[in-house]
Each structure stands twice: as C-alpha cells, then as structure tokens.
C-alpha cells in the first residue's frame, strides 16, 4: 500500500496538514527522513517511552533497541520499508529507563513522485499489558496442566473407588431388596432414612432416594396399618432406646391382614456411638397358621391318645395290684413293662402338647403375687414320696423374710417341679437335693442343687434343646422325654428371667433360675 499524501480536493492544504498532525499526535508515533533520522515525535510517544521530543530528534530509532531482536530482524525490516512496503510486527524496545516495552509497530514509507522515499512514519501500539496477560494465561495453563497430571491418577483412583462403592451399594440394595423381611433404617432423631422393597410391598409405600417419603407421612401411614399402632410406633419407630428392642408379634390390618414379628436392632458407628436403629418386620402369618394347625393336630392326637392310655394305665395298675387274681412272675414282668411304657407315652403326650402350645404362642402367663416359700413347700410335699423311695433328703435354704414375687403360680410350680423331679431322678439313692432362695438386687434367684450323676460339658451344651437326653446309661435307665428342660426354660423366660446350670460329672448339678422382682 502506498500512502497518498496529496490532500483531497475538498480540503485546503493547511487544513489537511493540521488534520494529519492531529491524528499523528493522538497516537505514539515518530517521523524520520529516508535515512531513518528522527525528525519529529508525538507527545504520546514521549508518554510511552519517557523520551521528550527534543531527546529523540536527530537520533535514529537504534536508541530504542533492546537485545531481544538480532540484526537479521532489523535488516529484513529495513529492506521491507526501503522497498516502499509497510512493515508490520511486534517488537520489544527499551524505554528511557531501560525497561522492556512490548509494542506492535507499523512503519509506513512515504514516497514523492520522482524523488522516491522521503520519510518513514512509525506508529506504535503498547501491547505490554496484553503480553503480560498472555504470559499469565500461559503460566496458569501450565499450572493447570501440572495440576491435571497430578490429579489424573487420583481421579482414576477416586473413580475406581466410587465404582466399587456403587457396586457394593447395588449389591447391598439387591440383597436387602431380595429379602422377604421388611427393613427400615431410622436415625437417632427418628427420621426414616431408608426402607427396602419388602417394606414398600408390605405397606404400599414408595421409596426413591431423591424424594423419600417424609417421616410424618410414614408414621400416619403406619397408624392405619396396625391394630396397636401407637405401641408399634413408640416401641420401634420413635423409641429412644439404643439397645436391641425385644421381638414381638403384632397384627397388621391394612392393606392386608398379617401377623408381623417386629424387632429393632441398634446401629452404631465405629466409635460405638448410637446413630439409629434398623427395624425388621417379618411376615409370620403362614408360620403362625402352620403352627396353629400343628397345635390343633397335636391336641387332637393327644386327646385321642389320652383316653386309651388312661384305660391301659388303669387296667395294668389293677392287674398289678392283684385285682384280677394272682399273677405269675412272667405276667408281672410283662405288665410292669406295659405300665412303664404307657406312663412314658402319657408323659410324652403331655410334654408334646405343652411344647406345641408354647411354640404357637398360645401360652400366656398371668402374673400375680405369689408366696415363693409356699410354692416350694407344695412341690416338696408332692415329690417327697419319690424322694423317700430313693432315700433322698430334700432340704431348703430360704430366707426368713417374706418372699412375695410376681409370677404365674401354675407355671412357677411347673418350673420348680421339673427341676426338683430331675434332681431326684438323676441322683442315686441316699443323695441330697437342696433348694436355695437368694434375694438379688433386681431378681430372686432359686437354685436346685443335687448330689447326683452330674453332666458332661457336651450335655451342658445341648441341655436345653428339645428331646436332648444325656447318653449316660443311668439317664437311659430313667424314664424321660427330653422336653422338660426346654419347657422349663421357656416358662422362666416368659417371666422375664433366665436359667443357668453348673455341673460336674459324678458330683452333682445346680440349676439356678431368676424371676425379676
Ligand atoms: P428328661 O428328664 O425327661 O429326660 P429334661 O429336659 O428334663 O428331660 O432333661 C434333659 C436331660 O438333661 C436329661 O435327660 C438328663 O440327661 C439331663 N439332666 C437334667 N437334669 C439333670 C440333673 N439334675 N442331673 C443330671 N442330669 C440332668
């Protein structure tokens, strides 16, 4: 591009000059002759470089040179402009103080016809700030890259951990959703945190992790679902207990009638801090129905057995008593076997009926004030014929003070009778059975101690299981069903107590049960 310096026809020469001067003064610029000697510099150029016009006039632009560009750079520039072409590019110059200036430069050569190039105009634009910004941008990009390189492996690890966690969660959810038991997680503030699919199905509620049902809504939902809703809510859903809440059966009435077994187990943090509880609800409707049918069946069978058994036992007794005439030794021996077996059958039938009633929950205890001393004395009186037959001494160690306890009198007698008759049964002739009562802080403890055959550690392990009898030959020679201790333990637990046993083979045993005061 060649600049035309001739003024347009609409402007007078002086006007044109004035305009050119004003434009040049408004930007950092200087003018040189064709040899590059500075003839004029603008004030803005002075502002930018710190040089005054007087400083630069007569000098060449060499005074602005920094060491940044080599001679080839300047050679090319000079070649371009002396050919009459505009040179455009970035340069780094030094200001008057020696500081570097980053500039965009445009050098425009002026030609006059015939004369060739007469002047050069250098126009500057300060890009120091722009360069600084670019530099900072570059630096921050580098920093970012550096950070990314360190972060990448971490992010990979994090991703892997998250995937593992998600998998574990999905697996856990799958397991928890697959169980038939309904589960609800409750915070220590009683907020419902989560429940599984079985709970949704059981109570017709929907759980989504992002918009879970509110605790209040769920409580009112449960209100209509249970017969004893207030009890269920206060015991399992709004309780402040941080321990295991005992299992109990409740009747669900909506949306379907069901028997639900419920318990709550505390959820603790690693530092053993109580953070909430898990409530588990199990549908036991079918189980209860099966149990009911079983009990019904057993009680029917029992009844059917009892009548013929009574006559078998009655008639054998009569025959053994000689009511039907003299018996030969053989006849007596056979009848004794019949009598023994009939008695065993009768015991078995009675015990089976009892077990089945307990298992179906049909046994309810009625707690009343009971005088423990007289209960023990009654049982001793009932058992004294058996004891004296084996010359076993029955003795008691009972405190003098009143021994009123809250218990079901029939069940308490049953517990005492089972333990004391076992003590007599499994003690050889001439032994001793002692009943001791101790008052503890929160319970009364009753011990039945004998000097009998004792039990092995294996016996102690299985003692309270149904039908368990020791393989000791002495035990085998004594009539028994193996159900008595299971029934006894159940009865004690129904009273809120517990039963323990200590024993040594050949030395004797001590059974101790407690009844809360
Ligand atoms: P049963 O006496 O009808 O066999 P139990 O359930 O009452 O059934 O007792 C289970 C078993 O425990 C007995 O068969 C016996 O082996 C053992 N046992 C119970 N009480 C005593 C005792 N006082 N001394 C030794 N063994 C005992």
């Amino acid at each position: 591009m060649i600049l035309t310096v001739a003024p347009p026809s609409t402007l007078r020469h002086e006007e044109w000059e004035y305009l050119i001067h004003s434009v040049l003064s408004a930007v950092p610029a200087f003018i040189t002759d064709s040899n590059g000697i500075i003839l004029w510099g603008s004030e803005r150029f002075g502002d930018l470089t710190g040089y005054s016009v007087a400083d630069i006039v007569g000098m060449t632009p060499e005074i602005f040179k920094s060491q940044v560009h080599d001679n080839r750079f300047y050679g090319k520039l000079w070649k371009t402009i002396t050919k009459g072409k505009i040179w455009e590019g970035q340069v780094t110059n030094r200001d008057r103080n020696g500081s570097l200036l980053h500039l965009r430069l445009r050098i425009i050569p002026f030609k006059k016809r015939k004369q060739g190039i007469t002047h050069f105009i250098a126009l500057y634009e300060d890009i120091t700030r722009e360069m600084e910004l670019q530099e900072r941008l570059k630096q921050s990009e580098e920093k970012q890259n550096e950070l990314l390189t360190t972060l990448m492996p971490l992010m990979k690890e994090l991703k892997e951990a998250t995937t593992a966690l998600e998998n574990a969660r999905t697996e856990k959810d799958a397991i928890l959703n697959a169980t038939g038991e309904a589960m609800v997680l409750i915070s220590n503030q009683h907020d419902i945190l989560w429940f599984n699919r079985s709970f949704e199905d059981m109570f017709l509620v929907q759980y989504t992790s992002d918009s879970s049902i509110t605790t209040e809504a769920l409580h009112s939902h449960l209100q209509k679902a249970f017969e004893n809703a207030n009890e269920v809510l206060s015991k399992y859903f709004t309780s402040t207990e941080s321990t295991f809440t005992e299992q109990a059966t409740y009747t669900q009435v909506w949306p379907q009638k069901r028997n639900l077994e419920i318990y709550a187990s505390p959820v603790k943090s690693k530092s053993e801090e109580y953070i909430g509880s898990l409530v588990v609800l199990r549908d036991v409707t079918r189980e209860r129905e099966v149990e009911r049918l079983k009990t019904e069946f057993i009680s029917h069978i029992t009844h059917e057995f009892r009548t013929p058994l009574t006559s078998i036992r009655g008639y054998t007794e009569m025959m053994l008593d000689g009511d039907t005439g003299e018996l030969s030794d053989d006849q007596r021996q056979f009848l004794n076997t019949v009598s023994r077996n009939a008695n065993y059958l009768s015991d078995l039938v009675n015990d089976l009926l009892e077990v089945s009633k307990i298992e179906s929950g049909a046994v309810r205890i009625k707690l009343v004030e009971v005088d423990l001393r007289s209960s023990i004395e009654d049982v001793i009186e009932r058992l004294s014929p058996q004891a004296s037959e084996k010359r076993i001494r029955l003795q008691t160690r009972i405190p003098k003070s009143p021994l009123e306890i809250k218990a079901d009198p029939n069940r308490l007698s049953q517990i005492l009778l089972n333990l004391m008759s076992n003590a007599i049964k499994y003690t050889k002739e001439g032994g001793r059975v002692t009943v001791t009562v101790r008052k503890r802080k929160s319970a009364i403890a009753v011990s039945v101690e004998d000097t009998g055959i004792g039990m092995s550690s294996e016996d102690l392990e299985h003692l309270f299981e149904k039908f368990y009898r020791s393989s000791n030959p002495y035990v085998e020679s004594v009539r028994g069903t193996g159900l008595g201790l299971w029934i006894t333990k159940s009865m004690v637990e129904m009273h809120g107590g517990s039963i323990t046993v200590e024993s040594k083979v050949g030395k004797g045993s001590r059974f101790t049960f407690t009844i809360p005061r």
Side-chain angles (χ1 to χ4, degrees):
M1 181 181 77
I2 302 291
L3 270 183
T4 319
V5 281
S9 54
T10 46
L11 286 176
R12 279 185 289 122
H13 192 77
E14 309 85 72
E15 281 174 335
W16 172 242
E17 262 189 357
Y18 176 74
L19 279 174
I20 293 282
H21 184 256
S22 307
V23 169
L24 286 179
S25 300
V27 295
F30 60 79
I31 300 176
T32 71
D33 64 14
S34 58
N35 296 316
I37 307 290
I38 300 173
L39 303 174
W40 176 87
S42 73
E43 232 170 85
R44 301 278 286 115
F45 184 76
D47 294 344
L48 181 68
T49 59
Y51 289 104
S52 71
V53 180
D55 288 335
I56 57 171
V57 171
M59 311 297 278
T60 66
E62 292 222 353
I63 56 163
F64 311 128
K65 267 191 182 172
S66 65
Q67 277 356 95
V68 175
H69 311 289
D70 56 10
N71 286 338
R72 267 186 52 207
F73 175 83
Y74 292 109
K76 262 172 116 179
L77 184 153
W78 187 247
K79 216 170 153 187
T80 311
I81 55 177
T82 47
K83 270 191 194 160
K85 287 186 185 152
I86 294 174
W87 185 92
E88 239 174 325
Q90 274 184 20
V91 290
T92 305
N93 281 359
R94 272 186 205 288
D95 69 4
R96 198 168 184 212
N97 298 323
S99 307
L100 290 179
L101 290 170
H102 299 288
L103 305 158
R104 190 166 291 130
L105 173 61
R106 209 162 199 249
I107 304 176
I108 308 164
F110 278 84
K111 275 184 181 175
K112 270 191 184 159
R113 227 169 278 144
K114 289 187 186 150
Q115 257 179 284
I117 291 168
T118 56
H119 296 92
F120 295 109
I121 280 194
L123 293 166
Y124 284 95
E125 191 187 334
D126 185 6
I127 54 165
T128 310
R129 258 195 70 72
E130 202 178 296
M131 294 287 284
E132 270 172 15
L133 281 177
Q134 260 176 25
E135 183 58 26
R136 249 189 263 157
L137 201 70
K138 212 174 112 198
Q139 275 174 6
S140 72
E141 260 173 20
E142 272 166 14
K143 274 250 168 64
Q144 212 173 334
N145 283 340
E146 220 171 88
L147 214 67
L148 272 178
T149 5
T150 35
L151 272 181
M152 277 310 257
L154 281 179
M155 285 179 48
K156 207 175 142 215
E157 266 173 43
L158 198 70
K159 198 167 174 255
E160 278 166 10
T162 318
T163 318
L165 203 70
E166 265 169 15
N167 287 348
R169 230 181 92 169
T170 325
E171 278 166 25
K172 181 208 74 186
D173 276 1
I175 294 168
L176 293 176
N177 281 330
T179 62
E181 281 157 357
M183 294 179 189
V184 193
L185 202 57
I186 296 167
S187 78
N188 54 6
Q189 303 295 313
H190 311 140
D191 288 324
I192 308 276
L193 301 176
W194 169 91
F195 44 80
N196 69 349
R197 198 156 301 150
S198 297
F199 186 86
E200 293 181 345
D201 297 343
M202 203 174 264
F203 296 101
L204 293 187
V205 284
Q206 190 97 62
Y207 174 86
T208 49
S209 51
D210 40 32
S211 65
S212 62
I213 178 170
T214 65
T215 302
E216 292 73 33
L218 197 84
H219 283 181
S220 63
H221 202 74
L222 291 174
Q223 278 284 355
K224 66 174 170 189
F226 283 100
E227 203 171 66
N228 288 342
N230 286 339
E231 192 183 320
V232 174
L233 281 174
S234 64
K235 201 163 160 191
Y236 301 100
F237 289 84
T238 58
S239 149
T240 46
E241 286 284 315
S242 58
T243 49
F244 188 88
T245 318
E246 158 212 356
Q247 183 167 309
T249 310
Y250 290 90
T251 312
Q252 185 186 1
V253 286
W254 185 92
Q256 196 179 319
K257 202 167 158 64
R258 291 190 186 103
N259 289 318
L260 296 183
E261 208 171 70
I262 314 179
Y263 67 86
S265 123
V267 180
K268 292 189 175 166
S269 69
K270 264 196 184 146
S271 54
E272 284 297 296
E273 197 189 331
Y274 171 69
I275 48 175
S277 59
L278 179 73
V279 180
V280 180
L281 307 98
R282 199 161 72 87
D283 184 355
V284 289
T285 318
R286 253 191 73 76
E287 263 169 56
R288 289 293 138 89
E289 181 57 14
V290 170
E291 270 164 24
R292 196 189 60 77
L293 290 173
K294 192 178 84 184
T295 313
E296 214 175 77
F297 172 74
I298 289 176
S299 68
H300 177 75
I301 292 283
T302 316
H303 188 74
E304 293 295 308
F305 264 90
R306 262 184 185 162
T307 326
L309 265 177
T310 312
S311 33
I312 293 171
R313 282 169 69 199
Y315 288 128
T316 5
E317 286 299 317
M318 274 172 67
M319 287 161 88
L320 282 168
D321 284 348
D323 291 354
T324 50
E326 275 298 303
L327 297 173
S328 70
D329 285 351
D330 278 353
Q331 285 171 327
R332 181 165 293 280
Q333 200 191 329
F334 295 153
L335 278 176
N336 268 327
T337 310
V338 172
S339 164
R340 222 180 24 249
N341 283 316
N343 284 335
Y344 168 72
L345 263 182
S346 164
D347 288 352
L348 186 64
V349 160
N350 287 335
D351 282 357
L352 272 178
L353 185 63
E354 193 70 23
V355 167
S356 133
K357 274 200 225 149
I358 294 171
E359 281 186 333
S360 68
V363 176
R364 299 240 172 247
I365 57 163
K366 233 200 221 144
L367 297 182
V368 291
E369 290 275 331
V370 183
D371 177 15
L372 181 60
R373 183 180 292 109
S374 57
S375 299
I376 293 172
E377 281 164 0
D378 282 351
V379 175
I380 288 183
E381 206 180 303
R382 276 170 70 180
L383 290 174
S384 51
Q386 272 163 270
S388 41
E389 207 176 292
K390 287 175 83 179
R391 291 187 296 106
I392 288 174
R393 203 142 43 93
L394 286 180
Q395 57 184 41
T396 54
R397 281 199 205 120
I398 304 177
K400 296 253 166 346
S401 53
L403 282 175
E404 290 289 320
I405 57 166
K406 281 243 181 230
D408 183 311
N410 293 332
R411 301 303 179 186
L412 179 66
S413 297
Q414 204 177 346
I415 295 167
L416 289 165
L417 197 68
N418 274 345
L419 292 178
M420 282 160 72
S421 69
N422 272 354
I424 296 169
K425 248 163 59 174
Y426 301 114
T427 297
K428 291 180 184 164
E429 294 216 354
R432 196 175 58 242
V433 171
T434 316
V435 182
T436 312
V437 176
R438 281 188 197 86
K439 281 184 172 177
R440 290 189 191 156
K441 217 173 170 189
S442 55
I444 295 239
V446 184
S447 299
V448 179
E449 194 175 347
D450 60 54
T451 55
I453 58 166
M455 283 171 279
S456 68
S457 53
E458 201 200 320
D459 290 337
L460 294 177
E461 216 176 286
H462 302 285
L463 199 61
F464 294 102
E465 289 170 12
K466 270 183 278 179
F467 298 109
Y468 183 81
R469 300 200 78 210
S470 163
S471 50
N472 185 323
Y474 187 86
V475 172
E476 281 160 16
S477 72
V478 182
R479 197 175 87 202
T481 61
L483 291 170
L485 281 181
W486 186 91
I487 296 170
T488 306
K489 186 170 185 264
S490 306
M491 299 289 173
V492 170
E493 284 171 356
M494 274 185 220
H495 281 85
S498 60
I499 183 164
T500 53
V501 56
E502 299 146 272
S503 185
K504 263 208 177 106
V505 178
K507 292 263 186 259
S509 312
R510 177 163 62 212
F511 285 82
T512 306
F513 72 90
T514 57
I515 299 285
R517 297 179 86 173

